mmCIF file of all heavy atoms in Angstrom:
data_model
loop_
_atom_site.group_PDB
_atom_site.id
_atom_site.type_symbol
_atom_site.label_atom_id
_atom_site.label_comp_id
_atom_site.label_asym_id
_atom_site.label_seq_id
_atom_site.Cartn_x
_atom_site.Cartn_y
_atom_site.Cartn_z
ATOM 1 N N LEU A 349 25.764 -11.573 30.502
ATOM 2 C CA LEU A 349 26.170 -12.954 30.206
ATOM 3 C C LEU A 349 24.917 -13.776 30.461
ATOM 4 O O LEU A 349 24.273 -13.660 31.521
ATOM 5 C CB LEU A 349 27.301 -13.385 31.153
ATOM 6 C CG LEU A 349 27.661 -14.842 31.139
ATOM 7 C CD1 LEU A 349 28.266 -15.206 29.749
ATOM 8 C CD2 LEU A 349 28.695 -15.210 32.235
ATOM 9 N N VAL A 350 24.610 -14.698 29.502
ATOM 10 C CA VAL A 350 23.321 -15.453 29.566
ATOM 11 C C VAL A 350 23.598 -16.964 29.368
ATOM 12 O O VAL A 350 24.452 -17.325 28.566
ATOM 13 C CB VAL A 350 22.354 -15.003 28.484
ATOM 14 C CG1 VAL A 350 21.081 -15.926 28.413
ATOM 15 C CG2 VAL A 350 21.906 -13.531 28.719
ATOM 16 N N GLY A 351 22.833 -17.776 30.094
ATOM 17 C CA GLY A 351 22.939 -19.203 29.902
ATOM 18 C C GLY A 351 22.393 -19.999 31.070
ATOM 19 O O GLY A 351 22.623 -19.621 32.179
ATOM 20 N N ALA A 352 21.732 -21.165 30.716
ATOM 21 C CA ALA A 352 21.198 -21.971 31.726
ATOM 22 C C ALA A 352 22.311 -22.624 32.591
ATOM 23 O O ALA A 352 22.079 -22.983 33.760
ATOM 24 C CB ALA A 352 20.339 -23.079 31.119
ATOM 25 N N GLY A 353 23.485 -22.689 32.028
ATOM 26 C CA GLY A 353 24.587 -23.266 32.750
ATOM 27 C C GLY A 353 24.987 -22.560 34.001
ATOM 28 O O GLY A 353 25.669 -23.079 34.861
ATOM 29 N N MET A 354 24.544 -21.316 34.101
ATOM 30 C CA MET A 354 24.834 -20.479 35.253
ATOM 31 C C MET A 354 24.268 -21.083 36.556
ATOM 32 O O MET A 354 24.886 -21.007 37.612
ATOM 33 C CB MET A 354 24.110 -19.152 35.051
ATOM 34 C CG MET A 354 24.852 -17.964 35.552
ATOM 35 S SD MET A 354 24.018 -16.459 34.994
ATOM 36 C CE MET A 354 24.771 -16.264 33.396
ATOM 37 N N LYS A 355 23.239 -21.819 36.412
ATOM 38 C CA LYS A 355 22.505 -22.385 37.620
ATOM 39 C C LYS A 355 23.423 -23.375 38.320
ATOM 40 O O LYS A 355 23.396 -23.474 39.561
ATOM 41 C CB LYS A 355 21.235 -23.089 37.234
ATOM 42 C CG LYS A 355 20.169 -22.179 36.735
ATOM 43 C CD LYS A 355 18.844 -22.892 36.705
ATOM 44 C CE LYS A 355 18.804 -24.008 35.732
ATOM 45 N NZ LYS A 355 17.478 -24.704 35.740
ATOM 46 N N SER A 356 24.233 -24.093 37.533
ATOM 47 C CA SER A 356 24.993 -25.211 38.133
ATOM 48 C C SER A 356 26.421 -24.723 38.403
ATOM 49 O O SER A 356 27.304 -25.527 38.740
ATOM 50 C CB SER A 356 24.961 -26.452 37.229
ATOM 51 O OG SER A 356 25.266 -26.051 35.910
ATOM 52 N N HIS A 357 26.717 -23.479 38.145
ATOM 53 C CA HIS A 357 28.081 -23.004 38.367
ATOM 54 C C HIS A 357 28.046 -21.764 39.283
ATOM 55 O O HIS A 357 27.972 -20.610 38.840
ATOM 56 C CB HIS A 357 28.750 -22.592 37.039
ATOM 57 C CG HIS A 357 28.974 -23.724 36.164
ATOM 58 N ND1 HIS A 357 27.990 -24.348 35.376
ATOM 59 C CD2 HIS A 357 30.153 -24.435 35.867
ATOM 60 C CE1 HIS A 357 28.549 -25.347 34.656
ATOM 61 N NE2 HIS A 357 29.822 -25.399 34.969
ATOM 62 N N PRO A 358 28.090 -22.027 40.536
ATOM 63 C CA PRO A 358 27.991 -20.882 41.558
ATOM 64 C C PRO A 358 28.965 -19.811 41.459
ATOM 65 O O PRO A 358 28.756 -18.705 41.806
ATOM 66 C CB PRO A 358 28.048 -21.600 42.866
ATOM 67 C CG PRO A 358 28.641 -22.938 42.578
ATOM 68 C CD PRO A 358 28.381 -23.243 41.266
ATOM 69 N N GLY A 359 30.103 -20.091 40.800
ATOM 70 C CA GLY A 359 31.149 -19.073 40.774
ATOM 71 C C GLY A 359 31.053 -18.087 39.652
ATOM 72 O O GLY A 359 31.952 -17.272 39.419
ATOM 73 N N VAL A 360 30.012 -18.196 38.881
ATOM 74 C CA VAL A 360 29.905 -17.367 37.625
ATOM 75 C C VAL A 360 30.002 -15.905 37.911
ATOM 76 O O VAL A 360 30.700 -15.104 37.245
ATOM 77 C CB VAL A 360 28.686 -17.769 36.801
ATOM 78 C CG1 VAL A 360 28.500 -16.770 35.624
ATOM 79 C CG2 VAL A 360 28.802 -19.169 36.311
ATOM 80 N N THR A 361 29.219 -15.415 38.920
ATOM 81 C CA THR A 361 29.181 -13.972 39.231
ATOM 82 C C THR A 361 30.581 -13.521 39.656
ATOM 83 O O THR A 361 31.045 -12.433 39.185
ATOM 84 C CB THR A 361 28.169 -13.675 40.307
ATOM 85 O OG1 THR A 361 26.929 -14.191 39.975
ATOM 86 C CG2 THR A 361 28.076 -12.198 40.558
ATOM 87 N N ALA A 362 31.258 -14.343 40.430
ATOM 88 C CA ALA A 362 32.622 -13.954 40.822
ATOM 89 C C ALA A 362 33.566 -13.852 39.647
ATOM 90 O O ALA A 362 34.271 -12.850 39.435
ATOM 91 C CB ALA A 362 33.148 -14.980 41.817
ATOM 92 N N ASP A 363 33.467 -14.836 38.739
ATOM 93 C CA ASP A 363 34.345 -14.865 37.536
ATOM 94 C C ASP A 363 33.992 -13.582 36.680
ATOM 95 O O ASP A 363 34.915 -12.985 36.129
ATOM 96 C CB ASP A 363 34.094 -16.129 36.725
ATOM 97 C CG ASP A 363 34.737 -17.367 37.395
ATOM 98 O OD1 ASP A 363 35.545 -17.156 38.385
ATOM 99 O OD2 ASP A 363 34.401 -18.479 36.911
ATOM 100 N N PHE A 364 32.725 -13.332 36.543
ATOM 101 C CA PHE A 364 32.237 -12.161 35.759
ATOM 102 C C PHE A 364 32.825 -10.915 36.260
ATOM 103 O O PHE A 364 33.418 -10.090 35.442
ATOM 104 C CB PHE A 364 30.737 -12.162 35.800
ATOM 105 C CG PHE A 364 30.098 -11.145 34.951
ATOM 106 C CD1 PHE A 364 29.623 -11.426 33.633
ATOM 107 C CD2 PHE A 364 29.826 -9.849 35.460
ATOM 108 C CE1 PHE A 364 29.000 -10.464 32.888
ATOM 109 C CE2 PHE A 364 29.177 -8.921 34.698
ATOM 110 C CZ PHE A 364 28.764 -9.177 33.406
ATOM 111 N N THR A 365 32.664 -10.650 37.513
ATOM 112 C CA THR A 365 33.144 -9.360 38.067
ATOM 113 C C THR A 365 34.636 -9.292 38.051
ATOM 114 O O THR A 365 35.279 -8.220 37.760
ATOM 115 C CB THR A 365 32.624 -9.198 39.470
ATOM 116 O OG1 THR A 365 32.926 -10.312 40.274
ATOM 117 C CG2 THR A 365 31.139 -8.948 39.495
ATOM 118 N N GLU A 366 35.352 -10.413 38.262
ATOM 119 C CA GLU A 366 36.763 -10.430 38.250
ATOM 120 C C GLU A 366 37.349 -10.129 36.867
ATOM 121 O O GLU A 366 38.346 -9.469 36.687
ATOM 122 C CB GLU A 366 37.318 -11.800 38.799
ATOM 123 C CG GLU A 366 37.262 -11.848 40.336
ATOM 124 C CD GLU A 366 37.491 -13.251 40.876
ATOM 125 O OE1 GLU A 366 38.058 -14.051 40.059
ATOM 126 O OE2 GLU A 366 37.105 -13.517 41.985
ATOM 127 N N ALA A 367 36.624 -10.671 35.858
ATOM 128 C CA ALA A 367 37.104 -10.474 34.447
ATOM 129 C C ALA A 367 37.101 -8.944 34.208
ATOM 130 O O ALA A 367 38.014 -8.439 33.590
ATOM 131 C CB ALA A 367 36.135 -11.188 33.522
ATOM 132 N N LEU A 368 36.040 -8.277 34.626
ATOM 133 C CA LEU A 368 35.986 -6.885 34.338
ATOM 134 C C LEU A 368 37.022 -6.107 35.170
ATOM 135 O O LEU A 368 37.687 -5.237 34.691
ATOM 136 C CB LEU A 368 34.576 -6.374 34.634
ATOM 137 C CG LEU A 368 33.463 -6.879 33.838
ATOM 138 C CD1 LEU A 368 32.127 -6.213 34.132
ATOM 139 C CD2 LEU A 368 33.762 -6.669 32.233
ATOM 140 N N ARG A 369 37.239 -6.520 36.424
ATOM 141 C CA ARG A 369 38.191 -5.893 37.286
ATOM 142 C C ARG A 369 39.630 -6.014 36.706
ATOM 143 O O ARG A 369 40.325 -5.043 36.650
ATOM 144 C CB ARG A 369 38.195 -6.513 38.705
ATOM 145 C CG ARG A 369 39.167 -5.999 39.669
ATOM 146 C CD ARG A 369 39.482 -6.935 40.813
ATOM 147 N NE ARG A 369 40.036 -8.201 40.196
ATOM 148 C CZ ARG A 369 40.207 -9.378 40.861
ATOM 149 N NH1 ARG A 369 39.710 -9.476 42.106
ATOM 150 N NH2 ARG A 369 40.735 -10.439 40.308
ATOM 151 N N ASP A 370 39.951 -7.238 36.236
ATOM 152 C CA ASP A 370 41.206 -7.452 35.615
ATOM 153 C C ASP A 370 41.496 -6.544 34.433
ATOM 154 O O ASP A 370 42.615 -6.219 34.114
ATOM 155 C CB ASP A 370 41.399 -8.919 35.200
ATOM 156 C CG ASP A 370 41.380 -9.862 36.396
ATOM 157 O OD1 ASP A 370 41.571 -9.319 37.551
ATOM 158 O OD2 ASP A 370 41.302 -11.087 36.226
ATOM 159 N N LYS A 371 40.458 -6.223 33.781
ATOM 160 C CA LYS A 371 40.598 -5.275 32.580
ATOM 161 C C LYS A 371 40.475 -3.800 32.977
ATOM 162 O O LYS A 371 40.562 -2.971 32.127
ATOM 163 C CB LYS A 371 39.442 -5.675 31.571
ATOM 164 C CG LYS A 371 39.656 -5.168 30.196
ATOM 165 C CD LYS A 371 40.683 -5.973 29.437
ATOM 166 C CE LYS A 371 40.910 -5.395 28.046
ATOM 167 N NZ LYS A 371 42.005 -6.072 27.333
ATOM 168 N N GLY A 372 40.297 -3.541 34.284
ATOM 169 C CA GLY A 372 40.237 -2.169 34.786
ATOM 170 C C GLY A 372 38.888 -1.530 34.447
ATOM 171 O O GLY A 372 38.797 -0.358 34.297
ATOM 172 N N ILE A 373 37.871 -2.359 34.243
ATOM 173 C CA ILE A 373 36.558 -1.831 33.893
ATOM 174 C C ILE A 373 35.680 -1.664 35.123
ATOM 175 O O ILE A 373 35.418 -2.684 35.832
ATOM 176 C CB ILE A 373 35.812 -2.671 32.859
ATOM 177 C CG1 ILE A 373 36.642 -2.632 31.508
ATOM 178 C CG2 ILE A 373 34.393 -2.179 32.587
ATOM 179 C CD1 ILE A 373 36.199 -3.623 30.494
ATOM 180 N N ASN A 374 35.144 -0.472 35.367
ATOM 181 C CA ASN A 374 34.400 -0.269 36.607
ATOM 182 C C ASN A 374 32.914 -0.632 36.340
ATOM 183 O O ASN A 374 32.338 -0.422 35.311
ATOM 184 C CB ASN A 374 34.443 1.240 36.926
ATOM 185 C CG ASN A 374 33.857 1.453 38.338
ATOM 186 O OD1 ASN A 374 34.214 0.784 39.328
ATOM 187 N ND2 ASN A 374 32.923 2.474 38.398
ATOM 188 N N ILE A 375 32.285 -1.338 37.329
ATOM 189 C CA ILE A 375 30.889 -1.684 37.236
ATOM 190 C C ILE A 375 30.050 -0.722 37.929
ATOM 191 O O ILE A 375 30.131 -0.441 39.139
ATOM 192 C CB ILE A 375 30.709 -3.097 37.828
ATOM 193 C CG1 ILE A 375 31.546 -4.188 37.169
ATOM 194 C CG2 ILE A 375 29.187 -3.479 37.824
ATOM 195 C CD1 ILE A 375 31.491 -5.548 37.755
ATOM 196 N N GLY A 376 29.151 -0.030 37.170
ATOM 197 C CA GLY A 376 28.266 0.978 37.717
ATOM 198 C C GLY A 376 27.041 0.358 38.429
ATOM 199 O O GLY A 376 26.626 0.840 39.501
ATOM 200 N N MET A 377 26.503 -0.627 37.847
ATOM 201 C CA MET A 377 25.358 -1.339 38.508
ATOM 202 C C MET A 377 25.508 -2.818 38.121
ATOM 203 O O MET A 377 26.109 -3.158 37.127
ATOM 204 C CB MET A 377 23.984 -0.863 37.862
ATOM 205 C CG MET A 377 23.713 0.624 38.088
ATOM 206 S SD MET A 377 22.262 1.075 37.075
ATOM 207 C CE MET A 377 20.842 0.446 37.985
ATOM 208 N N LEU A 378 24.913 -3.671 38.999
ATOM 209 C CA LEU A 378 25.024 -5.151 38.716
ATOM 210 C C LEU A 378 23.628 -5.722 39.005
ATOM 211 O O LEU A 378 22.968 -5.314 40.010
ATOM 212 C CB LEU A 378 26.090 -5.751 39.656
ATOM 213 C CG LEU A 378 26.487 -7.179 39.268
ATOM 214 C CD1 LEU A 378 27.366 -7.169 37.959
ATOM 215 C CD2 LEU A 378 27.272 -7.840 40.365
ATOM 216 N N ASN A 379 23.196 -6.611 38.167
ATOM 217 C CA ASN A 379 21.862 -7.163 38.307
ATOM 218 C C ASN A 379 21.931 -8.545 37.819
ATOM 219 O O ASN A 379 22.540 -8.855 36.798
ATOM 220 C CB ASN A 379 20.890 -6.304 37.505
ATOM 221 C CG ASN A 379 19.484 -6.850 37.539
ATOM 222 O OD1 ASN A 379 19.180 -7.944 37.054
ATOM 223 N ND2 ASN A 379 18.562 -6.085 38.144
ATOM 224 N N THR A 380 21.227 -9.500 38.529
ATOM 225 C CA THR A 380 21.243 -10.872 38.029
ATOM 226 C C THR A 380 19.896 -11.497 38.072
ATOM 227 O O THR A 380 18.996 -11.090 38.797
ATOM 228 C CB THR A 380 22.138 -11.789 39.007
ATOM 229 O OG1 THR A 380 21.540 -11.772 40.289
ATOM 230 C CG2 THR A 380 23.536 -11.278 39.093
ATOM 231 N N SER A 381 19.690 -12.457 37.135
ATOM 232 C CA SER A 381 18.514 -13.342 37.211
ATOM 233 C C SER A 381 19.028 -14.758 37.304
ATOM 234 O O SER A 381 20.213 -14.977 37.423
ATOM 235 C CB SER A 381 17.671 -13.172 35.907
ATOM 236 O OG SER A 381 18.160 -13.963 34.857
ATOM 237 N N GLU A 382 18.134 -15.728 37.247
ATOM 238 C CA GLU A 382 18.610 -17.090 37.386
ATOM 239 C C GLU A 382 19.589 -17.464 36.353
ATOM 240 O O GLU A 382 20.436 -18.306 36.614
ATOM 241 C CB GLU A 382 17.287 -17.983 37.338
ATOM 242 C CG GLU A 382 17.525 -19.386 37.910
ATOM 243 C CD GLU A 382 16.223 -20.161 37.786
ATOM 244 O OE1 GLU A 382 15.305 -19.766 37.039
ATOM 245 O OE2 GLU A 382 16.224 -21.258 38.380
ATOM 246 N N ILE A 383 19.471 -16.950 35.112
ATOM 247 C CA ILE A 383 20.322 -17.371 33.993
ATOM 248 C C ILE A 383 20.953 -16.180 33.342
ATOM 249 O O ILE A 383 21.298 -16.232 32.153
ATOM 250 C CB ILE A 383 19.563 -18.219 32.994
ATOM 251 C CG1 ILE A 383 18.343 -17.415 32.381
ATOM 252 C CG2 ILE A 383 19.125 -19.508 33.585
ATOM 253 C CD1 ILE A 383 17.760 -18.117 31.164
ATOM 254 N N ARG A 384 21.078 -15.028 34.080
ATOM 255 C CA ARG A 384 21.694 -13.866 33.468
ATOM 256 C C ARG A 384 22.439 -13.014 34.476
ATOM 257 O O ARG A 384 21.957 -12.886 35.598
ATOM 258 C CB ARG A 384 20.669 -12.972 32.763
ATOM 259 C CG ARG A 384 21.185 -11.714 32.132
ATOM 260 C CD ARG A 384 20.104 -10.818 31.625
ATOM 261 N NE ARG A 384 19.018 -10.629 32.572
ATOM 262 C CZ ARG A 384 19.021 -9.821 33.598
ATOM 263 N NH1 ARG A 384 20.058 -9.043 33.810
ATOM 264 N NH2 ARG A 384 17.945 -9.741 34.443
ATOM 265 N N ILE A 385 23.561 -12.459 34.122
ATOM 266 C CA ILE A 385 24.310 -11.430 34.883
ATOM 267 C C ILE A 385 24.444 -10.238 34.037
ATOM 268 O O ILE A 385 24.879 -10.338 32.853
ATOM 269 C CB ILE A 385 25.722 -11.868 35.311
ATOM 270 C CG1 ILE A 385 25.551 -13.213 36.091
ATOM 271 C CG2 ILE A 385 26.379 -10.809 36.153
ATOM 272 C CD1 ILE A 385 26.974 -13.758 36.438
ATOM 273 N N THR A 386 24.001 -9.047 34.524
ATOM 274 C CA THR A 386 24.180 -7.833 33.733
ATOM 275 C C THR A 386 24.988 -6.771 34.508
ATOM 276 O O THR A 386 24.647 -6.520 35.671
ATOM 277 C CB THR A 386 22.843 -7.250 33.356
ATOM 278 O OG1 THR A 386 22.067 -8.191 32.594
ATOM 279 C CG2 THR A 386 22.970 -5.942 32.517
ATOM 280 N N ALA A 387 25.947 -6.194 33.865
ATOM 281 C CA ALA A 387 26.712 -5.147 34.426
ATOM 282 C C ALA A 387 26.493 -3.862 33.638
ATOM 283 O O ALA A 387 26.504 -3.917 32.384
ATOM 284 C CB ALA A 387 28.204 -5.447 34.490
ATOM 285 N N VAL A 388 26.319 -2.727 34.304
ATOM 286 C CA VAL A 388 26.288 -1.455 33.610
ATOM 287 C C VAL A 388 27.752 -0.910 33.706
ATOM 288 O O VAL A 388 28.283 -0.797 34.798
ATOM 289 C CB VAL A 388 25.328 -0.450 34.217
ATOM 290 C CG1 VAL A 388 25.472 0.918 33.615
ATOM 291 C CG2 VAL A 388 23.863 -0.975 33.922
ATOM 292 N N VAL A 389 28.237 -0.572 32.486
ATOM 293 C CA VAL A 389 29.639 -0.044 32.472
ATOM 294 C C VAL A 389 29.643 1.256 31.699
ATOM 295 O O VAL A 389 28.593 1.599 31.046
ATOM 296 C CB VAL A 389 30.615 -1.056 31.828
ATOM 297 C CG1 VAL A 389 30.586 -2.336 32.600
ATOM 298 C CG2 VAL A 389 30.198 -1.315 30.392
ATOM 299 N N ARG A 390 30.775 1.986 31.623
ATOM 300 C CA ARG A 390 30.888 3.160 30.757
ATOM 301 C C ARG A 390 30.702 2.641 29.322
ATOM 302 O O ARG A 390 31.232 1.589 28.958
ATOM 303 C CB ARG A 390 32.163 3.816 30.953
ATOM 304 C CG ARG A 390 32.401 4.441 32.316
ATOM 305 C CD ARG A 390 33.569 5.356 32.352
ATOM 306 N NE ARG A 390 34.802 4.677 31.831
ATOM 307 C CZ ARG A 390 35.664 5.221 30.994
ATOM 308 N NH1 ARG A 390 35.427 6.420 30.456
ATOM 309 N NH2 ARG A 390 36.725 4.538 30.583
ATOM 310 N N ARG A 391 30.079 3.453 28.484
ATOM 311 C CA ARG A 391 29.878 3.051 27.108
ATOM 312 C C ARG A 391 31.216 2.755 26.415
ATOM 313 O O ARG A 391 31.363 1.803 25.593
ATOM 314 C CB ARG A 391 29.076 4.007 26.261
ATOM 315 C CG ARG A 391 28.826 3.441 24.865
ATOM 316 C CD ARG A 391 27.956 4.236 24.002
ATOM 317 N NE ARG A 391 26.692 4.627 24.670
ATOM 318 C CZ ARG A 391 26.047 5.663 24.456
ATOM 319 N NH1 ARG A 391 26.465 6.584 23.647
ATOM 320 N NH2 ARG A 391 24.956 5.845 25.131
ATOM 321 N N ALA A 392 32.218 3.533 26.727
ATOM 322 C CA ALA A 392 33.514 3.366 26.062
ATOM 323 C C ALA A 392 34.150 2.015 26.444
ATOM 324 O O ALA A 392 35.021 1.501 25.684
ATOM 325 C CB ALA A 392 34.496 4.522 26.545
ATOM 326 N N ASP A 393 33.706 1.394 27.518
ATOM 327 C CA ASP A 393 34.266 0.134 27.966
ATOM 328 C C ASP A 393 33.458 -1.044 27.436
ATOM 329 O O ASP A 393 33.834 -2.217 27.635
ATOM 330 C CB ASP A 393 34.280 -0.007 29.499
ATOM 331 C CG ASP A 393 35.357 0.953 30.125
ATOM 332 O OD1 ASP A 393 36.336 1.236 29.390
ATOM 333 O OD2 ASP A 393 35.130 1.385 31.230
ATOM 334 N N MET A 394 32.273 -0.796 26.779
ATOM 335 C CA MET A 394 31.379 -1.892 26.436
ATOM 336 C C MET A 394 31.993 -3.018 25.659
ATOM 337 O O MET A 394 31.869 -4.153 25.981
ATOM 338 C CB MET A 394 30.147 -1.392 25.711
ATOM 339 C CG MET A 394 29.111 -2.465 25.302
ATOM 340 S SD MET A 394 27.735 -1.776 24.398
ATOM 341 C CE MET A 394 28.443 -1.719 22.701
ATOM 342 N N GLU A 395 32.731 -2.697 24.507
ATOM 343 C CA GLU A 395 33.202 -3.684 23.657
ATOM 344 C C GLU A 395 34.334 -4.493 24.350
ATOM 345 O O GLU A 395 34.368 -5.695 24.236
ATOM 346 C CB GLU A 395 33.697 -3.064 22.368
ATOM 347 C CG GLU A 395 32.589 -2.391 21.598
ATOM 348 C CD GLU A 395 32.892 -2.048 20.142
ATOM 349 O OE1 GLU A 395 34.001 -2.376 19.720
ATOM 350 O OE2 GLU A 395 32.004 -1.533 19.447
#
Side-chain angles (χ1 to χ4, degrees):
Chain A
L349 175 65
V350 172
M354 215 170 276
K355 293 196 296 179
S356 50
H357 293 76
V360 171
T361 305
D363 288 348
F364 182 94
T365 52
E366 283 167 18
L368 296 183
R369 178 203 62 195
D370 291 349
K371 197 73 182 177
I373 295 170
N374 191 49
I375 298 175
M377 297 169 78
L378 194 71
N379 178 295
T380 63
S381 80
E382 199 179 11
I383 59 167
R384 176 186 49 79
I385 303 174
T386 300
V388 171
V389 300
R390 293 192 309 132
R391 182 175 308 150
D393 290 333
M394 179 182 83
E395 298 196 0

